Amino acid sequence: MPTFARAWAKAVTGTSYLPMTQTQLEELLQRLTGELADALQSEPFDLRTGHRVGAALVAAHVASAEGLGRTIEVIQLRLLRDLGLCQEDAQDRMARLLATVATGYSRAMHDRTLDEQESIRRAGMVAREQAERALRESEARFRHQATHDPLTNLPNRALFTERLGAAVRRPDAGDRRIGVCFIDLDRFKVVNDTLGHPVGDQLLVSVAERLRGQVGDHLVARLGGDEFVILVEDTTCTDDALKVADAALAAIGEPSVVDGHELTISASVGVVERPVTGTTPDDVMRAADVTLHWAKASGRGRWALFDAERNELELNRHALSAAMPGALDRGEFYLDYQPLVSLTRDEVLGVEALVRWRHPTLGVLNPDSFIGLAEETGLIVRLGDWVLNEACREARRWLTISPDAPFISVNLAVRQVHVAGLADEVRALLDRTGLPPHKLQLEITESALMTTTGEPVQALRSLAELGVRIAIDDFGTGYSNLAYLRSLPVCELKVAGSFVAGLQAADDDPASHTDERILATLVSLAHALNLTVTAEGVETAGQAARLRELGCDAAQGWHFGRPEPAVRIHDRLGHRS
């Protein structure tokens, strides 16, 4: 029996991968040989042994067609001989037993294949589930990274925009309202510049944590830099959004200790609160951005609430500002002239050039509508140069009609006064037009002459030496510094119309008496400095009479004449000559 088992082991070795030693294989086959021998000699003859032997071979990984074939071959050739069995039915029993071995082997192989397939299927399912879970986790991480700020871990601009859009476009909009608080830290750049960006980043993290803790029920996002935004959904009124703004300002204003530095910072907040119906996310954010600028401009450390009327006015101002350069190129500006009349001789001494804008859609615009915009944008220098050139050319035309034509008075903006080479430009203009210097008066505001030194004052002195008249416009509303009046080349003071307006008040009105005393003082002061005084804004005969009594030299206003085109002055000069 051991000899047969060794022969069997030798026959099947190499036909399959066997996860056992040769000794272990021989021991297994020795046991199976015993079972086969018992089956061949047992009564009654039991064929189930063959099935068990075939299944055992497969279980032991003797699992190949070659391995089965060599097993059948070695059993058929040697087993009966080695057992010494020679009964008449021994060969028949052997054939039937080998058939059952093959059947058991095949069934076991089939079952093993099914098991392996099931194992493979289950392994595939597990692997797929693991891959899908890893993919979901990866997508979640990626979405979090894509929708959250890496520094503060707050939602970023993308997620805020998504949430705002969803809130505005909800199908159940109805009467729902929405609020947005747009936050910008005040002077945050100073922290970065003085303490470094790492400290600035830690301060941003601290601000984010405080905002999240203070208004945690609402979406708090960081848009970038030092800008944060809070989405206040389902507001019932404006106060709901304003309460959130107040809470945000309080949270940000708390002192923070960052890297050993105790820091206190403030913020400005633009607040928008409106019905969802009829608005868009872009509209809301544009309004919030505009309102944030209002808060910054009004002093920082506060909130500002969006006002549609104010926004409309600012949009109109922006449109006018953008249209001004083209309007100047197209010749849409023109000049009117208002007389300056002597109160003692009742004659026209000069005329002031007043610029107008003939706007193609808005009609004629007075200076109050656009001069401030021109000063803000810097276009005032170009516009002022045009006014000065146009006025001097017109004044020279009047001289061809009458040598006694009035002088021309032109306002110079602060930026014009500070342009280098002002005196040379005016001198060249007078040479080019042929206008005598004494026929030109330049009106300067007090704010343009805050000091009595520097290039602007030197330019005015050069012009005064040339013969150009220098007047201080709107005197009494600015700095009213007596020192510069004493040292500047000024020949005239134009008293602001606000003082003249008080002269028409009732005699028992204390304000009327105050204005009179101020006017009397200004006239006395001017005369003491050898200056003439012109009162602006004279609208009534009573005001003119009282100004004469106070010793005022000249006046300007509707009582003496409204601004009019150059042609009318031209015509009157022609009639007079």
Side-chain angles (χ1 to χ4, degrees):
M1 293 289 286
T3 302
F4 176 80
R6 283 194 296 274
W8 189 0
K10 183 178 179 180
V12 300
T13 298
T15 61
S16 306
Y17 168 74
L18 300 176
M20 62 182 73
T21 65
Q22 191 68 19
T23 299
Q24 290 172 332
L25 177 61
E26 291 179 2
E27 290 176 354
L28 169 66
L29 296 181
Q30 177 72 29
R31 178 175 61 78
L32 296 180
T33 298
E35 292 183 11
L36 290 173
D38 291 343
L40 287 171
Q41 300 175 71
S42 65
E43 293 294 341
F45 183 45
D46 188 359
L47 293 176
R48 290 178 297 177
T49 300
H51 291 110
R52 290 195 297 272
V53 170
L57 289 172
V58 172
H61 298 283
V62 182
S64 67
E66 183 180 2
L68 176 62
R70 290 189 179 185
T71 294
I72 296 298
E73 181 180 12
V74 74
I75 292 174
Q76 192 172 28
L77 292 176
R78 295 192 56 170
L79 185 59
L80 290 178
R81 187 190 65 185
D82 288 0
L83 291 175
L85 296 176
C86 54
Q87 293 94 331
E88 294 182 1
D89 63 345
Q91 290 292 341
D92 178 63
R93 285 193 173 197
M94 175 61 72
R96 293 169 62 191
L97 185 60
L98 287 176
T100 58
V101 169
T103 301
Y105 188 93
S106 298
R107 288 177 179 174
M109 283 292 290
H110 179 264
D111 291 343
R112 175 176 171 171
T113 302
L114 292 179
D115 289 344
E116 289 177 347
Q117 290 176 347
E118 179 63 16
S119 297
I120 293 172
R121 186 184 70 83
R122 290 187 178 184
M125 291 178 61
V126 171
R128 184 174 63 189
E129 289 175 357
Q130 290 175 340
E132 290 176 348
R133 183 167 58 252
L135 179 61
R136 286 193 298 270
E137 292 173 353
S138 176
E139 289 175 343
R141 286 194 301 271
F142 178 77
R143 173 163 175 77
H144 185 85
Q145 292 171 355
T147 58
H148 286 74
D149 172 48
L151 177 65
T152 63
N153 204 36
L154 288 177
N156 62 10
R157 182 185 296 271
L159 181 55
F160 174 79
T161 302
E162 178 183 311
R163 286 283 301 273
L164 176 61
V168 170
R169 291 188 290 267
R170 269 172 52 179
D172 60 335
D175 296 329
R176 290 179 52 250
R177 301 178 67 88
I178 195 169
V180 166
C181 298
F182 191 3
I183 304 167
D184 183 81
L185 303 185
D186 296 330
R187 300 182 180 88
F188 177 73
K189 185 176 183 297
V190 175
V191 177
N192 280 338
D193 291 345
T194 57
L195 301 178
H197 287 273
V199 173
D201 287 348
Q202 292 181 53
L203 179 59
L204 289 174
V205 172
S206 174
V207 168
E209 291 174 350
R210 279 180 279 163
L211 284 175
R212 190 160 36 201
Q214 188 73 20
V215 294
D217 292 339
H218 306 292
L219 177 69
V220 182
R222 181 188 178 209
L223 298 188
D226 59 346
E227 293 181 343
F228 298 84
V229 66
I230 303 173
L231 177 62
V232 189
E233 296 190 57
D234 297 317
T235 56
T236 59
C237 61
T238 300
D239 282 348
D240 291 346
L242 294 181
K243 289 176 182 177
V244 173
D246 283 330
L249 288 174
I252 293 172
E254 296 176 1
S256 301
V257 178
V258 179
D259 195 27
H261 304 280
E262 183 171 342
L263 303 176
T264 301
I265 197 166
S266 64
S268 301
V269 185
V271 183
V272 178
E273 197 280 334
R274 59 176 55 172
V276 170
T277 303
T279 193
T280 67
D282 287 343
D283 290 340
V284 173
M285 290 311 297
R286 273 196 299 269
D289 186 50
V290 167
T291 311
L292 175 61
H293 287 292
W294 295 350
K296 289 281 188 185
S298 62
R300 297 184 172 89
R302 65 195 66 198
W303 52 255
L305 180 64
F306 182 75
D307 183 319
E309 291 184 4
R310 177 178 176 181
N311 184 57
E312 184 67 23
L313 289 174
E314 295 205 352
L315 289 176
N316 291 337
R317 280 173 52 83
H318 177 74
L320 281 180
S321 177
M324 285 180 68
L328 196 53
D329 293 336
R330 293 187 296 269
E332 294 178 5
F333 291 95
Y334 68 94
L335 298 181
D336 276 343
Y337 301 87
Q338 187 173 33
L340 286 74
V341 178
S342 170
L343 289 174
T344 57
R345 300 191 303 273
D346 199 24
E347 64 180 14
V348 175
L349 302 173
V351 291
E352 180 178 357
L354 302 171
V355 64
R356 306 285 188 258
W357 182 357
R358 191 178 288 106
H359 195 281
T361 58
L362 301 177
V364 175
L365 301 179
N366 288 326
D368 291 346
S369 302
F370 58 85
I371 288 296
L373 294 176
E375 290 175 340
E376 291 174 11
T377 60
L379 189 67
I380 191 65
V381 174
R382 184 181 167 201
L383 179 60
D385 287 345
W386 177 86
V387 170
L388 184 59
N389 278 265
E390 183 70 16
C392 287
R393 280 195 296 269
E394 195 61 51
R396 181 64 183 87
R397 289 179 57 202
W398 298 337
L399 282 176
T400 62
I401 302 172
S402 171
D404 296 326
F407 65 79
I408 187 73
S409 188
V410 180
N411 286 279
L412 288 187
V414 174
R415 291 200 185 199
Q416 286 179 277
V417 175
H418 288 265
V419 169
L422 171 65
D424 293 336
E425 290 184 9
V426 174
R427 187 181 293 108
L429 173 61
L430 295 175
D431 291 341
R432 189 166 59 251
T433 59
L435 182 68
H438 70 277
K439 288 295 185 179
L440 173 62
Q441 176 171 280
L442 298 178
E443 298 187 16
I444 317 294
T445 60
E446 294 179 68
S447 58
L449 299 171
M450 291 177 61
T451 66
T452 59
T453 60
E455 186 172 345
V457 174
Q458 294 302 322
L460 294 179
R461 286 190 176 132
S462 297
L463 291 173
E465 291 171 0
L466 185 65
V468 175
R469 300 165 56 88
I470 307 296
I472 302 297
D473 191 24
D474 284 334
F475 187 78
T477 61
Y479 298 93
S480 299
N481 190 323
L482 300 182
Y484 74 64
L485 284 181
R486 184 179 59 187
S487 58
L488 287 176
V490 176
C491 63
E492 180 176 330
L493 298 183
K494 297 189 71 176
V495 179
S498 56
F499 296 109
V500 177
L503 296 180
Q504 64 186 4
D507 291 339
D508 58 351
D509 186 347
S512 173
H513 296 298
T514 299
D515 287 339
E516 281 200 22
R517 286 194 293 270
I518 291 174
L519 281 170
T521 301
L522 292 179
V523 171
S524 297
L525 170 65
H527 288 170
L529 297 172
N530 294 320
L531 304 177
T532 61
V533 181
T534 299
E536 299 180 297
V538 180
E539 298 183 352
T540 67
Q543 290 173 340
R546 191 70 189 104
L547 287 168
R548 288 189 186 93
E549 293 173 4
L550 294 174
C552 191
D553 302 292
Q556 176 183 359
W558 286 6
H559 174 65
F560 298 102
R562 293 176 178 250
E564 58 188 6
V567 65
R568 294 190 182 176
I569 297 176
H570 189 281
D571 292 343
R572 278 201 297 272
L573 289 173
H575 292 152
R576 191 171 68 183
S577 61

